[in-house]
Amino acid sequence: MSRLAISPDPQLAVPPGPLVDAERRRGRGALSKRSGRFEKEAREEIDDGWGSLDSLDALKTNIHVEKPRAIVTRNDSPDISFDRSINPYRGCEHGCVYCFARPTHAYMGLSPGLDFETELFVKEGAAQLLERELSAPRYVPKTIAIGTNTDPYQPIERRHRVMRSILEILARAKHPVAIVTKSALVLRDLDLLAPMAEQGLAKVAISVTTLDPGLARIMEPRAATPARRIEAIEKLAAAGVPVAVMTAPVIPAVNDDEIEAILTRAHAAGAREAGYVMLRLPLELRDLFSEWLVANFPDKARRALSLVRSTRGGKIYDSTFGKRMTGEGPYAWMVGRRFEIAAKRIGFGQSQTKLRADLFEPPRRGPQQLALF
């Protein structure tokens, strides 16, 4: 049965919104289907008095085909170390409640809440588009980041293999790639990643938010367990692939006490670089995260949201360049110093692995006229 997401504490209250019945959303991260910011109408399920909501089936994952005109996305953000990226999928079945990519589903007329986890888009023909873009006469190779928005190795990748096809193109073209994931499925592609890494063309960052499997199940219901992620770090490193660990996001009062433990385990497994990101709650994510926090951690909710505001100048979120990744204020400063001290003590490198772009060989698309000289 749906109910209103209203906290008895007025300081923790989030705008009224219907929560989807717990049985219907079993295995999902968000609690509701809050409408996106572009919608003129808000829809909610209301029992008609005949128990109609009780007869609804559990939420299923629906796959849609998207045919983009281009696959490489460009950016000029000073906060990140890359200027181009690829997202094989739109939406993510992992269900991480804190995912800053959730608001992008509003562009599709869908909810950044449960729709983000259940209405997924597969970018058909991604490899062919990539081959075309890499073949452009004026293309200049630089590291392509994959996994910076949604996870390229989320569960539907097992069947659709879009990431695999993209990686095959990059391997043939000897193009540098940096991957971020929290899935052990990345190990499937070691046959491509290991030879690329040997040439200085590939590196992988594994996101580890907690070592507690119970907490991971609440935060990231369909992602790999913490143990599987540590195992992925170990096997990637053993295969010669440079591995980083990302403690991202750091959630005040929820997982912030695990920074040192995560870094210790990851380094022991073979990670030699490390990074962190402070919790980001842009747009619709503000209310989605707040209702999740109140429902799952009612005793911590007040303190957690207070600390979040303290890192964003008194607001829930501040998108200012230079601040959005790390936050500001005493608490954010403390987290940053803890991370730096622990990383240095444990033995993580201070610089990032530089990938090579000088080996790039533009793909040949179809019959081409032979050069005379």
Side-chain angles (χ1 to χ4, degrees), residues 137-158:
R138 295 184 180 180
Y139 180 80
V140 178
K142 288 186 180 180
T143 298
I144 290 179
I146 307 181
T148 57
N149 198 43
T150 57
D151 201 312
Y153 287 106
Q154 58 179 288
I156 60 173
E157 166 64 15
R158 293 184 183 276

Side-chain angles (χ1 to χ4, degrees), residues 26-260:
R26 181 184 294 275
R28 306 294 179 175
L31 277 64
S32 68
K33 286 193 174 186
R34 289 179 173 272
S35 298
R37 59 193 178 281
F38 302 118
E39 303 307 301
K40 295 181 180 180
E41 300 175 346
R43 296 177 174 83
E44 63 178 275
E45 299 169 345
I46 298 178
D47 197 313
D48 58 6
W50 296 94
S52 56
L53 294 183
D54 296 334
S55 62
L56 293 176
D57 294 332
L59 294 174
K60 297 180 180 179
T61 300
N62 298 311
I63 308 299
H64 309 275
V65 174
E66 180 177 349
K67 295 185 177 181
R69 295 181 179 179
I71 196 64
V72 178
T73 302
R74 306 290 181 133
N75 79 84
D76 57 1
S77 171
D79 286 334
I80 49 183
S81 60
F82 56 88
D83 69 352
R84 63 199 69 183
S85 61
I86 295 176
N87 294 298
Y89 302 101
R90 190 187 297 272
C92 186
E93 198 175 6
H94 280 162
C96 307
V97 70
Y98 53 73
C99 182
F100 63 82
R102 284 182 177 273
T104 62
H105 242 47
Y107 292 115
M108 310 301 289
L110 296 169
S111 167
L114 286 166
D115 283 347
F116 180 79
E117 309 170 38
T118 58
E119 303 294 335
L120 308 182
F121 294 79
V122 177
K123 296 188 178 180
E124 188 177 79
Q128 291 74 21
L129 286 172
L130 177 60
E131 187 174 45
R132 184 186 70 189
E133 292 176 44
L134 297 186
S135 301
R138 295 184 180 180
Y139 180 80
V140 178
K142 288 186 180 180
T143 298
I144 290 179
I146 307 181
T148 57
N149 198 43
T150 57
D151 201 312
Y153 287 106
Q154 58 179 288
I156 60 173
E157 166 64 15
R158 293 184 183 276
R159 181 176 40 158
H160 292 277
R161 299 173 69 87
V162 179
M163 178 59 182
R164 173 75 185 192
S165 66
I166 289 173
L167 204 56
E168 288 171 343
I169 297 295
L170 294 175
R172 287 201 299 269
K174 297 184 180 180
H175 193 293
V177 61
I179 300 169
V180 181
T181 183
K182 59 184 57 173
S183 173
L185 182 57
V186 67
L187 297 176
R188 178 202 64 188
D189 294 338
L190 267 180
D191 62 316
L192 296 173
L193 290 171
M196 291 181 74
E198 189 175 3
Q199 299 175 78
L201 297 172
K203 61 181 179 179
V204 176
I206 301 293
S207 174
V208 182
T209 50
T210 178
L211 297 175
D212 180 351
L215 178 57
R217 184 65 180 269
I218 296 173
M219 292 198 303
E220 311 151 337
R222 297 199 177 195
T225 64
R228 289 283 286 143
R229 295 183 220 182
I230 297 296
E231 180 186 6
I233 292 175
E234 186 174 17
K235 290 185 176 180
L236 286 165
V241 180
V243 190
V245 60
M246 292 295 298
T247 54
V250 175
I251 304 176
V254 176
N255 71 342
D256 57 349
D257 61 333
E258 294 192 65
I259 293 174
E260 293 81 0

Side-chain angles (χ1 to χ4, degrees), residues 320-353:
T320 304
F321 287 144
K323 298 179 181 179
R324 58 179 182 156
M325 299 296 187
T326 58
E328 60 180 343
Y331 173 79
W333 182 89
M334 178 194 68
V335 168
R337 301 301 76 71
R338 277 179 55 196
F339 183 90
E340 290 175 359
I341 292 171
K344 183 177 181 179
R345 173 178 54 82
I346 294 168
F348 282 97
Q350 300 298 307
S351 60
Q352 295 185 349
T353 299

